[in-house]
Amino acid sequence: MIDESRLGPEIDRRAPKVCFFEECNKDSVALVGGKCSSLGELINAGVRVPPGFALTTHGYADFMQEAGILAEIGGLLDGLDHDDMDKLEEASRTIREMIESRPMSIELEDLIAEAYRKLSVRCYMPAVPVAVRSSATAEDLPGASFAGQQDTYLWIRGIDDVMHHVRRCISSLYTARAIAYRIRMGFPHEQVAISVGIQKMANAYTAGVMFTVHPATGDRSVIVIDSNFGFGESVVSGEVTPDNFVVNKVTLDIIDRTISKKEVCYTADLKTQKSVAMEVPAERQNIQSILDDEITELAWMAKKIEKHYGRPMDIEWAIDKNLPVGGNIFVLQARPETIWSNKQKAPATTGASSAMDYIVSSLLVGKRLA
């Protein structure tokens, strides 16, 4: 007989099943996953982050045990090859349907509903629109790039929709891509739990990503910002070529800018209360999607985040159109950059021992301009 308790995370009945972001920090990965622990760390470091709460890994474990499907999931995953996409997709589809069709316990539903009510009161908005984000315990870690393998749902309103999308986020732990990556990386499926973040939605006029290391060259003396109108989904998914800005990390001067033709953006449809893809009006497609002053403030925030973590960072941000200038730029996620950070870098000079040494030595050596 299969012992289901060995197939998933152990349930600690004393541990919280729901907690607010500010109750978390960088050491809370086992409790709320990489994404939510990072948001809590940022809030406690004084970075402007939309408020929210998390269904913890203990809440997830409780749901999975109550659903009674762990043994069946283990059987479906046993012996899968990470290159056999047909079988991976078939297993993924079966597992996700099982998870999304199971009800949550009344206790867990009540905990999530009460936290959502408190968040709505805090935001002075009934049924506050939220982003429902997966936050896996093996995601956003310095040594592996699990980011983006689980799902995020934007502009979700009302507790019934929140509950539905929480289950969808849990099931996204078993996408074919996520299953294959864990097999390839040697991560046991039963040791990768998931948390779900429910975060107040920034009604973004403009959003995007930024890196505190150049993603194409590895240059750590610059900050690179990509932006588009609306929510950041169009930038993260690669559906548009975003505007691109390169900022000097010391002076915060914009040293390069590329304004792209942006034909699509995501925004809220106020009639259906859903996030939808919309065509950018022709007269705006070639207009810079973010002001220079906002670029400067974003770069300053990126420097602060990099200093706090002590390593290059990959950051998602948004500018809320419903809030006044000076308090409307928010960080939505921040994770360690994993590509260049994991590469061995030869020093620019034998004496370079600090970030400033690196920058000065780069100026002395010079860089060939394209």
Side-chain angles (χ1 to χ4, degrees):
M1 182 177 178
I2 296 176
D3 180 3
E4 285 204 5
S5 67
R6 297 173 61 87
L7 297 175
E10 183 179 348
I11 299 176
D12 182 351
R13 297 297 178 186
R14 299 166 298 175
K17 295 175 184 177
V18 170
C19 66
F20 279 83
F21 291 156
E22 59 266 27
E23 299 171 313
C24 310
N25 58 37
K26 64 183 177 182
D27 298 320
S28 304
V29 174
L31 180 66
V32 295
K35 193 173 286 124
C36 293
S37 64
S38 178
L39 291 171
E41 181 73 15
L42 292 169
I43 290 171
N44 286 297
V47 177
R48 196 181 299 120
V49 173
F53 64 94
L55 171 71
T56 70
T57 54
H58 298 289
Y60 153 78
D62 184 80
F63 166 69
M64 294 296 283
Q65 292 281 9
E66 289 282 340
I69 56 177
L70 290 170
E72 194 169 349
I73 289 174
L76 288 166
L77 297 177
D78 188 39
L80 283 178
D81 188 312
H82 63 78
D83 287 324
D84 191 340
M85 289 309 299
D86 288 340
K87 288 188 176 180
L88 286 168
E89 290 286 356
E90 183 181 350
S92 171
R93 184 168 53 254
T94 302
I95 292 170
R96 297 197 70 177
E97 286 175 357
M98 282 195 294
I99 292 172
E100 291 173 25
S101 66
R102 294 302 196 274
M104 287 189 175
S105 67
I106 293 175
E107 177 198 3
L108 198 55
E109 280 196 353
D110 284 348
L111 287 170
I112 295 172
E114 177 61 11
Y116 181 63
R117 184 192 68 79
K118 288 180 178 178
L119 180 63
S120 297
V121 170
R122 186 172 169 181
C123 297
Y124 305 102
M125 185 181 297
V128 61
V130 293
V132 182
R133 303 179 182 276
S134 306
S135 180
T137 55
E139 181 183 56
D140 299 350
L141 300 181
S145 183
F146 286 79
Q149 292 186 10
Q150 280 79 54
D151 289 345
T152 289
Y153 301 97
L154 304 180
W155 206 268
I156 306 302
R157 295 196 75 171
I159 189 57
D160 290 340
D161 267 357
V162 169
M163 291 293 187
H164 173 64
H165 288 89
V166 165
R167 283 196 294 272
R168 292 186 71 183
C169 280
I170 290 173
S171 80
S172 73
L173 190 61
Y174 295 97
T175 63
R177 177 188 172 200
I179 295 169
Y181 191 77
R182 288 197 295 271
I183 295 171
R184 188 163 59 250
M185 297 296 291
F187 277 77
H189 299 291
E190 66 274 10
Q191 291 182 18
V192 182
I194 198 168
S195 168
V196 181
I198 294 91
Q199 183 179 30
K200 193 249 179 209
M201 189 81 200
N203 192 10
Y205 172 77
T206 303
V209 298
M210 58 182 170
F211 303 87
T212 62
V213 58
H214 200 298
T217 66
D219 184 355
R220 293 188 62 172
S221 70
V222 297
I223 295 164
V224 177
I225 300 173
D226 289 339
S227 69
N228 185 27
F229 298 113
F231 304 148
E233 178 69 14
S234 62
V235 178
V236 174
S237 66
E239 289 183 63
V240 298
T241 301
D243 293 341
N244 176 266
F245 308 92
V246 181
V247 182
N248 183 295
K249 194 179 285 186
V250 175
T251 66
L252 301 186
D253 291 331
I254 302 169
I255 56 179
D256 190 22
R257 74 178 75 215
T258 304
I259 310 304
S260 303
K261 185 176 183 179
K262 303 167 291 294
E263 297 179 331
V264 175
C265 72
Y266 282 82
T267 189
D269 183 330
L270 298 180
K271 289 184 179 180
T272 63
Q273 290 296 313
K274 300 291 182 183
S275 170
V276 294
M278 298 184 68
E279 184 177 352
V280 177
E283 63 272 17
R284 294 179 63 204
Q285 291 180 1
N286 294 301
I287 293 176
Q288 183 171 314
S289 57
I290 183 173
L291 301 176
D292 283 5
D293 286 349
E294 293 167 337
I295 293 170
T296 301
E297 184 173 351
L298 278 169
W300 178 83
M301 293 172 76
K303 281 182 64 173
K304 181 177 181 179
I305 293 169
E306 181 182 63
K307 182 178 180 180
H308 180 78
Y309 279 90
R311 61 179 295 126
M313 299 296 290
D314 170 358
I315 301 162
E316 294 184 26
W317 56 269
I319 300 176
D320 196 317
K321 61 186 175 185
N322 297 137
L323 296 174
V325 173
N328 63 341
I329 299 181
F330 291 91
V331 169
L332 307 180
Q333 291 183 43
R335 63 176 69 93
E337 190 278 336
T338 57
I339 305 300
W340 292 100
S341 300
N342 292 333
K343 291 186 178 181
Q344 285 291 114
K345 303 183 185 70
T349 69
T350 56
S353 58
S354 69
M356 185 55 71
D357 290 335
Y358 174 84
I359 295 167
V360 172
S361 63
S362 295
L363 292 173
L364 291 174
V365 172
K367 295 185 180 293
R368 188 167 69 88
L369 299 176

